[in-house]
Amino acid sequence: MHIDILTLFPEMFQGVFNQSILKRAADKGAFSYQTVNFRDYTTNKHQKVDDYPYGGGAGLVLTPQPIFDAIDDIRTPQNNKPRVVLMCPQGETFTQKKAEELAKEEHLIFICGHYEGYDERIRQELITDEISIGDYVLTGGELGAMVVTDSVVRLLPGVLGNEQSAPEDSFSSGLLEHPHYTRPAEFRGHQVPEILMSGNHAKIEEWRHYESLKRTFLRRPDLLEQRELTKQEKAWIDEWQNS
């Protein structure tokens, strides 16, 4: 996978992309990326990429020319139809399902805005996806693009050390993840559940499923509305509701 990020602040990405799993993924060749300062593409003699909105109003709006030209330059004959993602508070809320969808692509382009918004023609002509990372407003799209990139890249083959890690993540199965424990078996009077040290893998999996469902029931019951519950899951939920 290759990722291009259009931003006025490319230096913001250096710390995030040069650390931890993202750095290892790039070093291993699982993905490549470049940050593109679309100010470099403006034909405005003052290097401006924004202007006042037609019809009046507060703030400045990103002009279409630099972003159109940047994307024209990024597109290649081999892949002239990349997914172009606009980071925008008006977009669909980002989910694990969306991350899994984007992880199947060969080429992603993220556009990070600033100021009051984008010229609507950018949205109409260039964009395949609009994504928001939550119902709040940031000063720009860079942090959102970092979040989405991290979420997508970790799903690429070979990125995580344990290939089972991603499928077992919260939301991947439709449930929140079960509790985890490690050594020591006793810490400040708190014990690791005996079942996890029993060696009975079938019972351990049942315990993990039970705890995962219970955590979802208590913390995110809305997720269960989309789930086709098994007979056993219904029995567990009845138990918690009546307790």
Side-chain angles (χ1 to χ4, degrees):
M1 171 184 283
H2 179 72
I3 297 176
D4 289 294
I5 301 171
L6 274 62
T7 172
L8 295 174
F9 302 97
E11 62 278 4
M12 287 182 65
F13 292 85
Q14 294 175 8
V16 173
F17 280 42
N18 288 322
Q19 303 290 331
S20 190
I21 289 176
L22 286 179
K23 183 180 188 302
R24 293 201 297 270
D27 290 345
K28 290 167 64 174
F31 90 113
S32 58
Y33 69 90
Q34 70 168 344
T35 53
V36 178
N37 190 334
F38 57 87
R39 193 183 299 278
D40 295 339
Y41 287 86
T42 183
T43 57
N44 183 283
K45 65 180 180 179
H46 301 296
Q47 293 286 290
K48 288 183 62 179
V49 295
D50 58 283
D51 212 331
Y52 294 103
Y54 279 118
L60 298 168
V61 176
L62 287 174
T63 58
Q65 178 270 315
I67 294 177
F68 269 77
D69 285 0
I71 289 184
D72 285 345
D73 193 36
I74 289 169
R75 284 175 172 154
T76 65
Q78 294 77 21
N79 186 8
N80 62 3
K81 291 186 178 180
R83 292 282 283 271
V84 182
V85 179
L86 190 73
M87 301 307 303
C88 176
Q90 302 174 27
E92 65 174 295
T93 302
F94 188 58
T95 63
Q96 185 68 17
K97 182 178 179 181
K98 189 68 174 183
E100 293 167 358
E101 176 187 329
L102 294 177
K104 299 174 183 177
E105 298 293 327
E106 295 182 3
H107 188 189
L108 299 175
I109 299 175
F110 291 97
I111 302 177
C112 305
H114 271 263
Y115 313 116
E116 186 65 22
Y118 306 91
D119 185 291
E120 187 66 15
R121 288 163 290 191
I122 296 170
R123 198 188 309 270
Q124 291 173 336
E125 300 297 326
L126 297 177
I127 304 307
T128 60
D129 303 83
E130 294 183 48
I131 290 178
S132 166
I133 62 168
D135 293 339
Y136 48 87
V137 179
L138 300 170
T139 55
E142 283 77 13
L143 293 174
M146 293 177 199
V147 168
V148 176
T149 298
D150 183 277
S151 182
V152 168
V153 168
R154 67 187 301 279
L155 296 175
L156 299 178
V159 170
L160 297 179
N162 186 337
E163 293 301 319
Q164 282 301 111
S165 294
E168 293 178 357
D169 285 339
S170 292
F171 305 110
S172 291
S173 65
L175 300 175
L176 299 183
E177 198 170 7
H178 56 77
H180 291 278
Y181 294 89
T182 187
R183 293 178 178 86
E186 185 276 331
F187 182 71
R188 296 190 178 184
H190 298 279
Q191 299 282 343
V192 172
E194 290 186 10
I195 185 65
L196 296 179
M197 298 180 288
S198 68
N200 188 327
H201 296 294
K203 289 293 184 182
I204 290 171
E205 287 305 308
E206 181 181 15
W207 179 89
R208 287 175 171 168
H209 184 187
Y210 177 91
E211 294 295 334
S212 180
L213 184 70
K214 186 175 183 179
R215 183 162 286 187
T216 307
F217 171 77
L218 294 174
R219 300 184 182 185
R220 288 293 305 276
D222 57 295
L223 295 175
L224 298 180
E225 296 174 4
Q226 309 163 36
R227 184 178 181 85
E228 187 173 340
L229 298 170
T230 66
K231 184 177 180 180
Q232 178 62 76
E233 288 173 336
K234 290 177 181 177
W236 285 336
I237 290 174
D238 286 342
E239 171 192 327
W240 303 324
Q241 287 176 329
N242 295 325
S243 62

